Amino acid sequence: MSAPLRTRLKFLADTDRPLVYVPSKGGGDETDHLGNFRSRVVEVHDARTSLRSPSLDAEGFLLRLHATRVGDFYDDAELHSVYHDEVGELVGHLTGAHKVEVFDDTRRAASLDTQRERGIREPAGIVHNDYTARSGIRRLRDHFAGDPEALDPLLERRFAIINVWRSIAGPVVDHPLVLCDATTVRAQDLVAMERRAEERTGELQVALFHPAQRWYYYPLMQPDEVLVFKTFDSATDGRTRFTVHSSCQDPSAPDDAPTRESIETRCFVFF
Ligand code: OGA
Ligand code: FE
């Protein structure tokens, strides 16, 4: 078993100040997070060797081999014509959902030059989950705003939001995605934070540190692997609803390591 990575993650320190998250637009700017945040050293364990078969409903994440026919992840048309069907099929298979609808692709690069060149965002800087109980539903409403007849039946049944994360530039040597086993996160560790983007105001969750939290990553993720994780579930029956995650530096990565480029594809999953 490989040694855990000892690295810093940025947690919410207290709730003394109003929390506002202003996401970067991409191209070299930075995400702003207003509030009191503090870095903590944590151990991030190798999920490949220390988790037997994690699930979306317990730990909140899992890894799958997933070859893709996409040639250029920077080509939006190819994402629409090829990738979204591939992701839909995978997520449908993993969850047993009767319908999967992709609604967002976010590309990120760890290198500032690549961010500028490609007009894309930086890796996550704080421990967060993309949605709250409220904003997950709100996101669905917004997506179907033009089609209320489709929306109403969807709101009556269970749905979830799943992210599918993959490298789009070779193995991930540094700045991996790290996730916290959701069964080790207490409800009181999570705090809602306003998300103020130009196109939409929403809400995400940030996390207070607690020693019981157990962190994982998949060392050297390959381009034919995907990390699938759940950021919202409308079910309130005890299964995992949210999965906090971030990115971090790997202190053991060589200085000249190739820099991470990734895409995370978000989908609604209807049961
Ligand atoms: C995500 C996310 C951060 C990163 O996929 O939701 O927060 O650094 N990703 O890739
Ligand atoms: Fe996220």
Side-chain angles (χ1 to χ4, degrees):
M1 195 154 90
S2 53
L5 214 154
R6 275 180 71 80
T7 187
R8 289 185 165 274
L9 297 180
K10 210 168 184 182
F11 291 85
L12 181 65
D14 57 53
T15 51
D16 296 350
R17 287 206 296 153
L19 302 174
V20 184
Y21 179 97
V22 184
S24 58
K25 295 186 182 63
D29 60 336
E30 275 179 37
T31 297
D32 245 341
H33 20 78
L34 311 182
N36 292 329
F37 289 84
R38 193 165 75 204
S39 281
R40 291 267 195 166
V41 175
V42 296
E43 287 196 346
V44 184
H45 301 273
D46 176 354
R48 295 185 191 275
T49 52
S50 45
L51 284 177
R52 195 174 296 269
S53 58
S55 72
L56 296 171
D57 286 340
E59 291 85 350
F61 59 86
L62 52 82
L63 185 93
R64 280 293 180 279
L65 265 177
H66 184 248
T68 174
R69 286 183 296 111
V70 175
D72 179 6
F73 276 100
Y74 288 101
D75 179 352
D76 287 338
E78 204 175 349
L79 295 184
H80 281 95
S81 62
V82 178
Y83 195 50
H84 292 176
D85 283 348
E86 292 177 350
V87 165
E89 195 179 326
L90 171 77
V91 172
H93 177 74
L94 288 173
T95 58
H98 78 265
K99 190 171 124 128
V100 178
E101 173 139 339
V102 171
F103 66 89
D104 179 67
D105 295 293
T106 299
R107 302 172 187 98
R108 300 178 193 264
S111 142
L112 186 56
D113 286 345
T114 310
Q115 291 167 30
R116 289 186 176 141
E117 222 167 274
R118 298 289 199 172
I120 64 175
R121 298 187 61 193
E122 79 281 35
I126 55 173
V127 172
H128 72 281
N129 178 64
D130 301 3
Y131 301 99
T132 61
R134 270 200 314 191
S135 73
I137 291 172
R138 175 77 193 277
R139 192 70 188 79
L140 183 73
R141 285 184 184 280
D142 287 352
H143 186 74
F144 285 94
D147 192 358
E149 270 157 45
L151 175 67
D152 288 342
L154 296 177
L155 286 171
E156 279 165 23
R157 299 172 60 110
R158 177 182 166 220
F159 81 96
I161 302 177
I162 302 277
N163 287 16
V164 176
W165 190 102
R166 81 189 303 140
S167 168
I168 56 175
V172 178
V173 181
D174 199 359
H175 297 100
L177 189 74
V178 298
L179 302 113
C180 193
D181 173 349
T183 65
T184 69
V185 178
R186 309 165 311 160
Q188 63 266 40
D189 297 344
L190 298 176
V191 178
M193 178 171 192
E194 181 186 338
R195 185 183 191 279
R196 207 181 279 169
E198 235 163 50
E199 70 283 6
R200 154 178 346 100
T201 295
E203 211 173 48
L204 74 165
Q205 292 183 93
V206 284
L208 297 157
F209 171 80
H210 188 273
Q213 294 164 357
R214 210 170 147 84
W215 285 89
Y216 291 95
Y217 79 122
Y218 288 87
L220 285 179
M221 263 189 76
Q222 302 294 310
D224 63 351
E225 290 181 320
V226 286
L227 226 172
V228 181
F229 57 103
K230 180 156 67 177
T231 56
F232 173 83
D233 198 319
S234 67
T236 53
D237 56 1
R239 75 179 85 217
T240 285
R241 304 187 69 195
F242 314 113
T243 311
V244 292
H245 54 276
S246 189
S247 180
C248 68
Q249 273 182 327
D250 179 344
S252 69
D255 285 343
D256 60 351
T259 56
R260 181 254 279 204
E261 282 169 62
S262 61
I263 189 165
E264 72 231 25
T265 301
R266 295 185 168 76
C267 25
F268 295 118
V269 176
F270 301 105
F271 295 94

